[in-house]
């Protein structure tokens, strides 16, 4: 047979040659490789370690244990809690808190003064004049009291001087309490409410504004206004003043300094503008002599007594 024939069993290239098969098997499996030349012992390589495929339940690579995998949010929570604050971070947080508190206080003070900041120059001048007038009234009252004290200290007949001052003080308190009549300069305020839109709170605002401007005696129609006066809306229209019903037109007789009373009613957004928005007709007139003759009965206190007795 031809030794070069591929089908010749003795051909070393024939795959059916048993020797070729053994040589092929030896070359494919490294465990059966012959030892290198010069070494009489046969060496075997270690068996390959089987690799188990990783599943999703085993967690991300590098994670110890076989527990369930964590989501991104859970890993974020574990990273920031519990907080690990350093001394520098605490100092920065304290400085930021102090800075925020200062800014809040500054913003609040700015908002408080925004009302006056947005006012017109004429309104600011009027407000300053009103404050000056109130300050002047307080100074006059202080000077009067000091003169009374000096008169009591220097008078030869202190008892007679004390009686005079007591009588004068009683007259003043009677005017304030509405138990005696009073007269003097002032204004008359007339509110004509033909549509019945004026309510008790609007009249109360007018009384409070007049008192703040220095009104010493006030009378609404036939009712004397005192410190304890209360107003309420009457059934069927009108207003009740201390339980007595008064109807439009409402006439205020006010004793005080006309130069202070009239501007107090005509300030922007004040009593006159508020009533005119309710379609009421408002008239303010200065008068050199106003007579307030509506009286209130003097009430004797049931329990209070003078501490000098």
């Amino acid at each position: 047979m031809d030794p070069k024939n591929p089908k010749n069993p003795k051909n070393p290239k024939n795959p059916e040659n048993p020797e070729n098969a053994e040589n092929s098997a030896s070359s494919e499996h490294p465990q059966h490789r012959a030892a290198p030349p010069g070494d009489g012992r046969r060496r075997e390589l270690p068996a390959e370690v089987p690799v188990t495929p990783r599943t999703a339940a085993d967690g991300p690579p590098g994670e110890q244990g076989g527990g369930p995998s964590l989501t991104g949010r859970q890993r974020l929570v574990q990273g920031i809690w519990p907080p690990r604050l350093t001394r520098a971070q605490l100092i920065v947080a304290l400085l930021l808190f102090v800075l925020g508190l200062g800014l809040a206080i500054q913003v609040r003070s700015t908002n408080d003064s925004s009302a006056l900041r947005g006012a017109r120059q004429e309104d600011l001048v009027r407000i300053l004049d009103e404050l000056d007038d109130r300050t002047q009234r307080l100074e006059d009252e202080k000077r009067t009291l000091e003169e009374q004290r000096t008169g009591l200290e220097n008078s030869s007949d202190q008892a007679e001087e004390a009686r005079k001052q007591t009588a004068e003080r009683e007259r003043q308190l009677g005017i304030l309490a509405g138990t005696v009549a009073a007269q003097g300069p002032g204004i008359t305020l007339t509110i004509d409410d033909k549509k019945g839109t004026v309510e008790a709170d609007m009249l109360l605002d007018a009384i409070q504004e007049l008192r703040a401007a220095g009104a010493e005696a006030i009378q609404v129609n036939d009712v004397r206004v005192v410190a304890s006066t209360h107003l309420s809306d009457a059934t069927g229209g009108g207003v009740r003043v201390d339980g007595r019903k008064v109807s439009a037109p409402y006439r205020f007789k006010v004793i005080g300094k006309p130069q202070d009373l009239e501007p107090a009613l005509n300030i922007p957004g004040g009593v006159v503008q508020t009533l005119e928005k309710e379609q009421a007709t408002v008239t303010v007139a200065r008068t050199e002599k106003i007579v307030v003759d509506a009286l209130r009965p003097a009430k004797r206190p049931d329990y209070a007594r003078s501490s000098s007795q």
Side-chain angles (χ1 to χ4, degrees):
M1 297 180 65
D2 186 3
K4 297 183 180 182
N5 188 1
K7 296 183 180 181
N8 188 0
K10 295 183 179 182
N11 188 0
K13 297 183 180 181
N14 186 7
E16 295 180 358
N17 190 351
E19 296 179 359
N20 294 336
E22 181 179 354
N23 294 333
S24 177
S26 298
S27 62
E28 293 178 358
H29 298 282
Q31 296 180 3
H32 301 86
R33 291 178 181 175
D39 192 350
R41 294 176 299 175
R42 184 177 182 178
R43 297 180 181 178
E44 295 184 358
L45 295 178
E48 296 182 359
V49 179
V51 178
T52 305
R54 185 175 59 86
T55 61
D58 295 334
E63 187 178 32
Q64 300 296 332
S69 61
L70 299 178
T71 62
R73 180 177 298 179
Q74 292 174 343
R75 289 197 296 272
L76 178 62
V77 172
Q78 289 182 355
I80 65 176
W81 189 263
R84 301 175 180 84
L85 298 179
T86 62
R87 183 177 180 181
Q89 291 175 342
L90 290 176
I91 295 176
V92 172
L94 180 60
L95 293 177
L96 291 177
F97 173 76
V98 174
L99 178 61
L101 182 62
L103 291 176
I105 295 174
Q106 184 177 2
V107 170
R108 182 175 180 181
S109 61
T110 303
N111 293 336
D112 293 340
S113 60
S114 60
L116 294 178
R117 185 174 300 175
R120 297 180 302 176
Q121 183 176 1
E122 295 81 0
D123 299 338
L124 294 176
V125 172
R126 188 173 302 172
I127 292 173
L128 290 176
D129 292 341
E130 185 176 352
L131 292 176
D132 292 339
D133 294 336
R134 292 182 183 180
T135 303
Q136 186 63 37
R137 289 197 302 270
L138 293 176
E139 291 292 339
D140 295 341
E141 185 177 357
K142 177 183 177 182
R143 184 169 54 254
T144 301
L145 293 176
E146 290 177 349
E147 291 175 355
Q148 292 178 359
R149 184 186 63 182
T150 303
L152 287 174
E153 293 175 351
N154 300 333
S155 177
S156 58
D157 190 355
Q158 295 184 357
E160 182 64 23
E161 183 67 21
R163 282 193 293 270
K164 289 182 180 180
Q165 292 189 9
T166 301
E168 179 64 20
R169 190 63 177 173
E170 181 181 2
R171 186 185 66 83
Q172 295 176 358
L173 293 177
I175 293 175
L176 297 177
T179 57
V180 297
Q183 66 178 10
I187 64 171
T188 57
L189 171 64
T190 304
I191 303 174
D192 192 3
D193 181 27
K194 296 181 179 180
K195 295 189 176 182
T197 56
V198 176
E199 299 178 351
D201 58 342
M202 301 177 186
L203 299 184
L204 181 60
D205 291 341
I207 293 174
Q208 292 177 344
E209 193 66 40
L210 291 170
R211 283 175 173 172
E216 299 176 353
I218 303 176
Q219 177 177 331
V220 181
N221 289 9
D222 295 332
V223 182
R224 186 73 170 267
V225 177
V226 295
S228 61
T229 296
H230 59 277
L231 290 81
S232 61
D233 295 325
T235 304
V239 176
R240 290 188 177 275
V241 181
D242 289 337
R244 296 178 57 181
K245 183 177 181 179
V246 295
S247 302
Y250 306 104
R251 295 184 176 87
F252 287 70
K253 293 192 292 184
V254 186
I255 296 177
K257 188 177 180 180
Q259 293 81 359
D260 296 340
L261 299 175
E262 182 180 4
L265 297 176
N266 291 319
I267 61 175
V271 175
V272 174
Q273 287 190 0
T274 301
L275 293 173
E276 289 178 349
K277 289 180 180 179
E278 299 296 332
Q279 299 181 356
T281 303
V282 183
T283 304
V284 181
R286 299 185 184 185
T287 307
E288 292 298 330
K289 183 178 180 180
I290 297 291
V291 178
V292 177
D293 51 3
L295 304 180
R296 299 177 67 93
K299 294 183 179 181
R300 182 180 179 85
D302 297 330
Y303 304 100
R305 297 291 183 271
S306 175
S307 59
S308 60
Q309 295 180 355

